[in-house]
Amino acid sequence: MDETFGPEYVRPAQPDCTRCGCCTAALCEKGRTSVMRCLGHVGDAFRETVASCPCSAESTKHTSAWMLAQVRVTRLAQELPIPEAAELLLRDLAGGKVVAEPGEPFPQLKVRGLAQLVHGMPAITPLGLTYLMAKDEVRAATAVRVVDVDKKTRTARVEVVAWRPDEPVTVLMDQIATDSGLDVDSLPGRWLTADANCRAENADGLVLTGYRNSAPLPAGWMGVDDGEDQ
């Protein structure tokens, strides 16, 4: 009896990512703009293969996972700081001190991504440096204007008045919506208040937390009209 079905459909192979060697280009494009990284967009059979993909890692600058990690560690430093002994160890590592026997505090740093082993020796991570900066820097409330949002990448561009109001920075759109309780569609053009380290040298070092509705702005202030919605 002849088969009544047509030829078997085989999905065309997708091109590999040229940067990592473990994912397709399409997967890395999605992973870079997802807090779930590449790992969150594959089935169980491929999780181990893509788990360490650098294209979407929180250690790779400007990925969504990296932006989320900066916020997480900053909030950790401000709201739930690590024990004093662990912080002292972290500061020793930041200062380049060789610590052959780090003791009990090291696992606390490692599990939070603040320290790691390099050639068998404890070393501070970039996130560890972010933590110390968040502990030491002055953070203050500042007016923030949402310039626009990109729903595809789940990011927003914002202007930070107390930093550089003419230099928009990219932040996580969902962070703004979650913090403020506002609908994403209402964000473009809206003025908010957020906490920031306004002495940051560049956009990579600027971390915004605690987005909330701002008090009404004076009429005419930076282009705000009497009837404009806040």
Side-chain angles (χ1 to χ4, degrees), residues 106-206:
F106 181 71
Q108 301 176 43
L109 300 178
K110 188 177 180 181
V111 75
R112 292 173 172 84
L114 307 181
Q116 62 186 343
L117 288 175
V118 177
H119 303 303
M121 295 296 293
I124 193 169
T125 64
L127 276 180
L129 294 173
T130 298
Y131 178 91
L132 292 180
M133 284 190 291
K135 285 282 290 185
D136 298 339
E137 289 178 322
V138 176
R139 294 186 61 80
T142 177
V144 173
R145 186 176 78 91
V146 181
V147 178
D148 52 35
V149 299
D150 185 333
K151 291 184 179 180
K152 181 178 180 181
T153 62
R154 311 299 295 179
T155 58
R157 291 192 307 148
V158 301
E159 294 174 336
V160 183
V161 171
W163 185 64
R164 299 174 189 170
D166 57 346
E167 185 178 331
V169 296
T170 300
V171 298
L172 294 171
M173 178 187 76
D174 293 309
Q175 180 197 355
I176 302 177
T178 300
D179 284 359
S180 66
L182 296 170
D183 184 81
V184 165
D185 291 330
S186 73
L187 293 180
R190 183 178 286 272
W191 285 93
L192 300 169
T193 299
D195 299 320
N197 52 332
C198 295
R199 295 179 183 175
E201 294 182 359
N202 52 50
D204 286 349
L206 183 68

